[in-house]
Every structure is written in structure tokens, then in C-alpha cells.
Amino acid sequence: MNTSQLLAVDLVLSILAAGAWVAAAWMTSAATTDRKQAPPHATDLALLLLSVAAAATVARYALLPALAAGSWWFASERITISLPLTAIPAAWAAMAGVPYLLRKRNTGSTTYGRAGWLRSREGVVLALVAAAAASVASLALSLVVGPFPAPWTVVVLLFLVGGTVVLARLSLREAGRPGRSSPGTVPRAHKRPTAAAAVAALMACTALGSGAFAWLGSRSADGAAIPAAVGHHGRPDRYVQAKPTQVTDLLGTVPADAVVRHYELTARVEQVTLPSGQRVEAWTFGSVPGPALEAQLGEVMEVELKNRDIAAGVTLHWHGYDVPNAMDGVAGATQDAVMPGHSMTYRFQAKQAGTYWYHTHQDSAEGVRKGLYGTFVVHDPATPRAGTDLVVAAHDLGGLGLLGSSDRISAHPATPGSAVRVRLVNTDSLPQRYWVDGAAFRVVAVDGMEVNQPGEVTGKLLRLGSGGRLDIDFTMPAAPVTVRSDSAAGAAVVIAPPGSAALAEASAAASSAAPDKAPAGIFATTPALDLLAYGKPVAGSGSAQPRVTREEVMVLDRQFRFVDGIPRFAFTVNGAAYPLVPSIDVSLGDTVKVTVVNRTAEPHPMHPHGHHVQVLSRNGVAPTGSPLLLDTVDVQPGEVWELLLHADNPGIWMDHCHNLDHAAEGMMMLLKYQGVSSPFMHGGHAHNRPE
């Protein structure tokens, strides 16, 4: 059983324990009332419920070693808070309740003498109420508090447990012991409801006050500019400049004599007709995908972005490309969103070859989904190009799966014996799997970075997380080669010899209304290639690991939080939702070890802008193949990845989940270099939404 499954079992046990303790308390109270009012077999039901509650609680404790073995962060609050919170009430309830109920069932007696208060009706019910309150609080810990509990949330939980017990105590005393009073005085029983009401009011005020505090906190960052980091964890640093550097000053250097590649992109709303005949309303840069941008190493990219009528605003972010910070295109961090009628020019030198893509980074959860994306390829003139070089962006547009610009077959000629390179780009928010049929292939690049000594692959799927890229190559055979994706059921890319019947058939089917179908079960039964064990290690690289100067932890979770003032079951980083997630502050030249822990039931493709990270391990196992440098790390449920980040690109950079719906619901944070600040803000007058 993997860690993700253990977490699911723990959640089920938490719910079962909480429900069983509450039901056991109610049934025990009912079983010990007047026999005429007690439900049939109430004592037996109470014993059964108490046994279930105790067993579920013990089972939760038994899971802790297995969870902690996966990572401390999978069990942190369960060990430090939940265990001590629930252990004593559960033990008291079990030790008091079982003998009491057995004695009542066998003899009908509930008397234990003067020393038997803890096993009297009042004591047993009170113990069960305490166990029920503690188990409910423990469940809340999993859904609300998280691995980094704020002190006030723990106080609230403890106060609510204590208040519940006090109320139960007052209620039991009132119900079971009529007040005694001297002549002329008000019976004490008449005063107890006032005390109980006061405790209930105090508990309600505490809970409401805590909620109001959390709501105000979620609104406090709206419209606030991003200040410069002044030192690790807020400590002064002697290298910080007296005057912070603005992100707008981080433009990089552009040689005066470099060749300039000039492009113009106009964002617009339009109706797109796909090859199948389906019409979809889309937001585009003129086509879906947008125009294919290309450059060679050393050339200068100059891209003018115009917004014709996208009311939410647009930007251009260069996914995976380590541009100067001012060119990163993140609304609210490196610029304001470009609103209708306005424009912005992005200019940077192409310094890294490979396959990348661009997309809006303003309200991108909606903008990218609707079509504001395109591909970007930089060629190395020193490397021979394949005879056939295809870029295939896989995307879901309005529920229609696309490979490139087609939701049906796209046909491409390639001479047998020639080299073919297919650049796969996942521009969607969900992971995709690809099947290459008709030829053995090699994975020659991952996220734009070349693989060392890639071997031939047959009989394996290629899994690609959101935002990621894989380049494959093969020698063209005499028969056609087909590339399919599980995200585009009716689409396929067919590469066939010129003049062949297969090419003619594929061309004829390109506009067919009938979808092309993948072989039955191919995606369900075929294993995926493990990139951590692919390729060959670089000679001597094992002993040349740089010295780590900082360590950071990113715990990815699902919790109840306010996001922009709206209550959500949010996606959080270290217990908070953006923009309240504490940033990672670094100095230029730092080497940072980042541990990423996924405590949710969904994959999170984490994308640090402006940097590639080196994979040190996954679930404690180091890569055995080619060194893996990624700009999008697809962290599966229950996984723990250790990554190495070299702080060599100054700025304020977003680091977020590239399932853009998760980012919109809080799973974002900033990587901030010391001495750098930003005049731009989340929300504010420009209505920046940087996800």
C-alpha cells in the first residue's frame, strides 16, 4: 500500500472514529435512561459502537509508523497534535464505558460505590463525549490545520473540545441531579443553563472570531506590492543593497549585432472551426495553438503582444525558458496584465536550445484552457536537424482533444531512412500519456534538456505531466508511424512515406467526422517509461554534487481556506493558500535543496519559473539514468521528491502547480532573491490574477 492509499485509509478511519464515538455517546446516554424510554437492545448497540470507535482509533495509531516512514510530513500533525489530543479521552472512554455497559447488560446494576464516579453514568457519558469531541477535532486537523498548524488554530480546537466536555458536564448534572436549595433560594438547576449558555456563546465567538481572522488574512495581500527579501527568514543580510532592485530592471543583456526574430501576437475572442467540423468559442493568439515561434541560439526574440478584446487581460509567459525576470510575463509579479487596447513587447536573447511553449499568465486557468497558448522551439545551429521535425501540442479545447491543431488525423510525409523528431508538449492541466506505434524510438530531450545516451524504447507509454515536454526521435521505417494520446481520443499524428497509400488514407481522414480510435485497452494495460531510470549517468557526476547552502520543504495539501476572501477546499502549500504562502528567500549563488511532499490524492506538476531543477531522489530513491533536469516536476499522490535548485537568475519568480485550476485555488508561492522587489501586486487596480 503506497502513501497516498495510507492517507486515504487514515481519512476513512478518522471519519469512522468520529462518527462511532458520537453515536456511542448518544446510545450510552439513551441506554442508561429510564427503561421505558431506552431503545431496544440499546446497551448492546452502545457496546458495539464503542468497540468500533476504539478499534478505528487504535487503527489510526497503527498507521502512523507507515506514514512516518514515507516522510515525517505525512504524519506530522497526527503525531504532534492528533495523537495526544485523542489518546487520553479514547482510553478513558474505553476503560470506563466497557465495564459499565457490560455490568449493566449482565446485572442491570450501574452502582460502583463512593469511588466509582468515573464509571457512573455521568462519568461514562462524559468520557464518551470527550472522546467524540477529540476525534472530531482530530478530523478537523486533517482538513483544516495541516502540517504547519498556526498556534491559534490549535488553541481553537482544544478550546472547542474542552467547551464540549464542559457543556456535557453541565447538562448531565442538570438532567441527573435535581438542584437542592435551601428555603427561599433559587434551585441551582435553574442557574446551570446560564453557565452552559455562556460556555456555548464563548465557543461560538471563538470559532467565528477565528474564521473572521482567517478571512481578513486572505484579503490582506490583495493590492499589496511585493517587497524585497531582506535576508533568510527575515534576518538582515550584508549583501542586500540599500535600494532594492525592481523586477522591471532585470532585463538581461541583448547583443547589439544579434539577429532579431520579430513576432506579433494579438489576443482575441473568436469562433474556431476544427477539422471535425465542431465550432468552439476560444481565446486565441490568432490560431489554436498560437503561431509557432522559432529561433536559433544567440538570436533575439522580440514578441509584441496586443490585446484586442480579452476582457480579463493577458500576458506572455515563456514556460520552461529561463528568461530575464522582467520578461517572465506573470501578472502581479513581473508586470500588470495587458488589458484590451494595450500592448507589451517582450525581448530576450535565446540562450538555451530545446522545446518550450508560451501562454498567458493572467487568469491562466481559464485563458490557457480556452486557447491562449502556443509552442516555442529554439534550435542549436551546431546540431543537425531532423529531416522531419514536428511539434505536437496536446490540449483539451472545450472538451475536444487536440493533437496540434486537429481533433482528427493529421498526416505528415517522411522519407524512409530519414531522421524524424517529434516534440510532444502537454499544454493541458492534466497529465497525458502517449503511444508511439510503428517504430522503436528514443527520448532525446526532457523539458528542453538533452538526455545522455538514450536507449531505444518499445512497448512503453510516455507519461507527460501538465506543462512538460518530451522530444522523441526515430529512423523512419517503410511503414507508417502513429502517435496517439489518451487525452485526444479522436486525434492522431500519422507519419508515412511520401506517395504511400497510408499517407493518402491519413490525408483523406484528416477532415473525417468519424473519430480515429486507439487500439482497445492500450492506455490501460501498457506500462509507462520511467525517466528516472532512462539513459546513462554522466561519468564522474556522482561525486561532483555541489554543496547545499539552504534547505526548504514544500508540503502540498488540500485544506479548507479562504482564497481571495472566498471559502474553498483549497490547494495549499505549507498550510496556506496564495498569496499568503511564505516565499522561499534566496541569495544569488545559493544552492537550495527543496523537498516536495504531495499529501493529496491528485498529481501536482510543480513549475518553478526561471530555473531548471535537478532531481536528487523520488521517494528516497536516486535516479539511476541520465541526470534529470526539469522545469515541471510531476509529483504524484503520496510522493516525496528531493530537488536541487541553483539560484543563478535574480528576480521574483512564481513556483506553482501547473494544473492551473489548482494554482487558481491557492497552490502557488514565490521564489524571491534578496534585494529584489516588485511594484506589481496581486489584484489591485490592474486586477492581476497571476495563476
Side-chain angles (χ1 to χ4, degrees), residues 1-14 63 67 73-75 77-78 557 598-601 637-638:
M1 187 175 290
N2 61 37
T3 306
S4 178
Q5 293 167 332
L6 289 173
L7 288 170
V9 171
D10 179 75
L11 180 60
V12 171
L13 290 173
S14 299
L63 283 181
L67 286 171
W73 300 108
F74 291 123
E77 79 277 18
R78 291 167 173 81
D557 219 333
N598 184 357
R599 304 199 335 164
T600 76

Side-chain angles (χ1 to χ4, degrees), residues 534-592:
Y534 182 70
K536 301 295 183 183
V538 175
S541 62
S543 59
Q545 292 294 338
R547 183 176 66 89
V548 173
T549 59
R550 293 181 54 72
E551 293 193 18
E552 298 285 347
V553 175
M554 296 171 57
V555 180
L556 313 178
D557 219 333
R558 194 87 194 268
Q559 298 164 281
F560 287 105
R561 291 291 183 271
F562 287 95
V563 180
D564 294 330
I566 301 172
R568 294 179 183 271
F569 191 33
F571 290 92
T572 61
V573 183
N574 294 347
Y578 188 84
L580 299 178
V581 182
S583 62
I584 294 178
D585 297 340
V586 299
S587 296
L588 183 63
D590 272 347
T591 298
V592 188

Side-chain angles (χ1 to χ4, degrees), residues 29 33 121-122 168-179 189 192:
S29 179
T33 57
R121 173 182 181 273
E122 181 177 350
R169 171 78 166 152
L170 290 171
S171 300
L172 284 167
R173 288 181 64 188
E174 180 182 355
R177 300 182 183 180
R192 289 189 191 107

Side-chain angles (χ1 to χ4, degrees), residues 147-218:
F148 295 92
W152 63 267
T153 57
V154 178
V155 170
V156 168
L157 285 171
L158 293 175
F159 182 76
L160 291 178
V161 172
T164 302
V165 175
V166 170
L167 283 173
R169 171 78 166 152
L170 290 171
S171 300
L172 284 167
R173 288 181 64 188
E174 180 182 355
R177 300 182 183 180
R180 298 176 182 174
S181 58
S182 57
T185 63
V186 179
R188 291 172 58 193
H190 294 174
K191 297 181 180 180
R192 289 189 191 107
T194 304
V199 173
L202 185 57
M203 290 168 58
C205 288
T206 303
L208 291 174
S210 301
F213 180 78
W215 181 82
L216 289 171
S218 75

Side-chain angles (χ1 to χ4, degrees), residues 144-291:
V144 179
V145 177
F148 295 92
W152 63 267
T153 57
V154 178
V155 170
V156 168
L157 285 171
L158 293 175
F159 182 76
L160 291 178
V161 172
T164 302
V165 175
V166 170
L167 283 173
R169 171 78 166 152
L170 290 171
S171 300
L172 284 167
R173 288 181 64 188
E174 180 182 355
R177 300 182 183 180
R180 298 176 182 174
S181 58
S182 57
T185 63
V186 179
R188 291 172 58 193
H190 294 174
K191 297 181 180 180
R192 289 189 191 107
T194 304
V199 173
L202 185 57
M203 290 168 58
C205 288
T206 303
L208 291 174
S210 301
F213 180 78
W215 181 82
L216 289 171
S218 75
R219 303 294 297 169
S220 64
D222 185 61
I226 302 173
V230 296
H232 296 326
H233 304 294
R235 296 192 299 270
D237 192 289
R238 58 192 176 95
Y239 298 107
V240 175
Q241 302 173 12
K243 183 179 180 181
T245 299
Q246 295 288 308
V247 295
T248 50
D249 297 330
L250 297 172
L251 297 167
T253 57
V254 175
D257 59 347
V259 174
V260 177
R261 295 269 189 145
H262 182 80
Y263 295 92
E264 291 185 5
L265 300 176
T266 300
R268 68 196 76 178
V269 179
E270 61 178 321
Q271 291 285 326
V272 174
T273 302
L274 299 173
S276 65
Q278 297 272 5
R279 288 179 59 82
V280 182
E281 182 180 286
W283 299 357
T284 79
F285 291 118
S287 60
V288 177

